[in-house]
DNA sequence: ATCAGCATGTAAGGCGTTACATGATTCA
DNA sequence: TGAATCATGTAACGCCTTACATGCTGAT
């Protein structure tokens, strides 16, 4: 498995439930997973090729049910082993890259109103994402007793909780900026 | 300014307050900024070179106060303009890449205890970071009326608020996993 | 004497984004 | 007929991480 290419374990994790094509994998990454991990075709297809060479996954018979040919992949025993090994590793990199916070930090180089506007843009964005996550949550609550759904549910509630914290912060931040604007400057 | 190289605006933002060397910039990125943006020498020095060629920053006289030579950089008018332009742009990419959530999502491939342990590791990590942010906050509160400190303060409270939300989620998540463990499986 | 900290930089290599190329089917 | 969706893939290009190279000063 490639050293720094984390898409490998994403693929293994998805394939541990069902056989999927590269196209399917991309769709999964555009769903709930997309809130904490992204992927692109230019990322996925080369990974599938090299992972098959390494014996972590195997190609299944290509089918042609409408549209172009389909190439579903299946996880091998070796792949399952690699997935488990990764899950047991203690270190995990959790990275945040928020341009909004960068703009906030350097807000002093512009008018106060620019920062407030940037916070509002961020707020709207968070609200949109929050609405999506809440529909995911509702759907999952109905089938929480099904295998593994509790894990999906927990990642979704993680997203909801943090986004709600973001919104509270937005309100506070705008208030603070307004007050300082009026009384100090 | 390079299209996708966001380190450029970080450098401009930092230089908008004071002249800094590449080494200084790295140190700033290892501090409070590091919670939402990272940088490395192999990232910073090449950016400084090309930004000087573009006229966004200028070299000041090198000094030699102890250790090796120092090359401080100064922001130019053009650089200030570029910084302001960036601040006014509406789009901002806010990306989260949390391996912990990935491990949680695919937790079904291993024993329930592995997931609980991964949450605990995450929790400890968050607690450590939270402690650091709280000292930053205390220091900033004493000088909140100074120029721009309100912006630094807000980024720090953003971090504190989200980390506190993380901790609450960790408690809930562990409880839920324990309960389902005992009653359903 | 040697280690840590100050300070600048380069090189290799990997990874990811974006855009492009291709092509079939279904539906309006 | 044309657009949308299904589906696979490549190529260019840029960016970043990591490791390495260099060398001074001050403290232990």
């Amino acid at each position: 498995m490639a050293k720094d290419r984390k898409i490998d374990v994403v693929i293994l994790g998805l394939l541990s439930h069902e056989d999927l094509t590269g196209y399917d994998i991309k769709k999964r990454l555009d769903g709930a997973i997309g809130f904490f991990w992204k992927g692109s075709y230019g990322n996925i297809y080369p990974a599938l090729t090299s992972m098959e060479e390494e014996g972590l996954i195997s190609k299944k018979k290509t089918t042609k049910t409408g549209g172009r040919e389909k190439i579903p992949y299946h996880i091998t025993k070796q792949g399952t082993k690699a997935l488990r090994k990764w899950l047991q590793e203690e270190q995990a990199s959790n990275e945040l890259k928020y341009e909004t916070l960068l703009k906030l930090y350097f807000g002093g180089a512009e008018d106060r109103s620019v920062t407030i506007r940037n916070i509002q843009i961020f707020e709207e964005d968070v609200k949109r994402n929050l609405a999506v996550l809440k529909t995911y949550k509702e759907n999952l609550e109905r089938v929480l007793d099904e295998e593994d759904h509790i894990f999906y549910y927990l990642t979704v509630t993680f997203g909801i909780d943090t986004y709600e914290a973001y919104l509270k912060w937005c309100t506070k931040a705008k208030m603070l900026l307004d007050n300082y604007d009026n009384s100090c400057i």
Side-chain angles (χ1 to χ4, degrees), chain A:
Chain A
M1 211 165 24
K3 223 183 4 200
D4 293 319
R5 203 180 49 189
K6 288 280 156 53
I7 192 72
D8 293 22
V9 285
V10 179
I11 291 172
L12 290 177
L14 288 170
L15 293 183
S16 72
H17 290 288
E18 49 180 338
D19 295 346
L20 294 169
T21 66
Y23 193 79
D24 293 332
I25 290 165
K26 175 69 165 74
K27 276 200 292 185
R28 298 288 191 288
L29 290 178
D30 290 338
I33 299 175
F35 283 93
F36 51 89
W37 212 271
K38 305 261 188 290
S40 63
Y41 291 127
N43 189 0
I44 294 163
Y45 283 112
L48 287 171
T49 303
S50 67
M51 284 167 75
E52 203 217 345
E53 282 165 12
E54 292 170 83
L56 298 167
I57 57 176
S58 63
K59 258 181 192 159
K60 301 217 70 171
K61 259 178 295 185
T62 65
T63 55
K64 231 181 250 181
T65 42
R68 250 178 89 165
E69 52 166 5
K70 257 187 172 183
I71 309 175
Y73 286 89
H74 182 81
I75 192 166
T76 63
K77 271 182 195 166
Q78 213 189 311
T80 306
K81 219 173 119 186
L83 178 64
R84 291 221 179 112
K85 197 192 152 204
W86 167 71
L87 284 170
Q88 282 174 358
E89 275 164 18
E90 288 204 11
Q91 86 278 35
S93 88
N94 297 314
E95 277 171 55
L96 200 79
K97 267 195 146 182
Y98 272 25
E99 201 174 344
T100 296
L101 291 178
L102 219 44
K103 288 189 179 183
L104 175 65
Y105 194 86
F106 298 124
E110 254 292 356
D111 214 80
R112 189 71 56 104
S113 64
V114 173
T115 294
I116 292 172
R117 187 157 136 276
N118 284 332
I119 292 174
Q120 272 160 351
I121 291 166
F122 177 69
E123 201 177 5
E124 293 310 316
D125 207 43
V126 171
K127 277 182 187 165
R128 266 191 300 276
N129 288 333
L130 191 54
V132 175
L133 283 176
K134 280 186 173 170
T135 64
Y136 286 157
K137 189 191 173 195
E138 279 164 31
N139 292 334
L140 281 168
E141 269 165 351
R142 280 185 234 123
V143 288
L144 208 53
D145 50 331
E146 277 177 47
E147 212 199 346
D148 290 343
H149 279 62
I150 190 169
F151 299 111
Y152 309 154
Y153 177 78
L154 284 175
T155 59
V156 169
T157 58
F158 182 94
I160 290 173
D161 291 355
T162 60
Y163 280 153
E164 281 176 348
Y166 288 177
L167 289 184
K168 275 183 208 159
W169 173 87
C170 286
T171 306
K172 279 199 306 182
K174 287 192 292 181
M175 258 175 50
L176 195 63
L177 286 169
D178 278 334
N179 288 346
Y180 264 72
D181 215 20
N182 298 333
S183 61
C184 298
I185 311 296

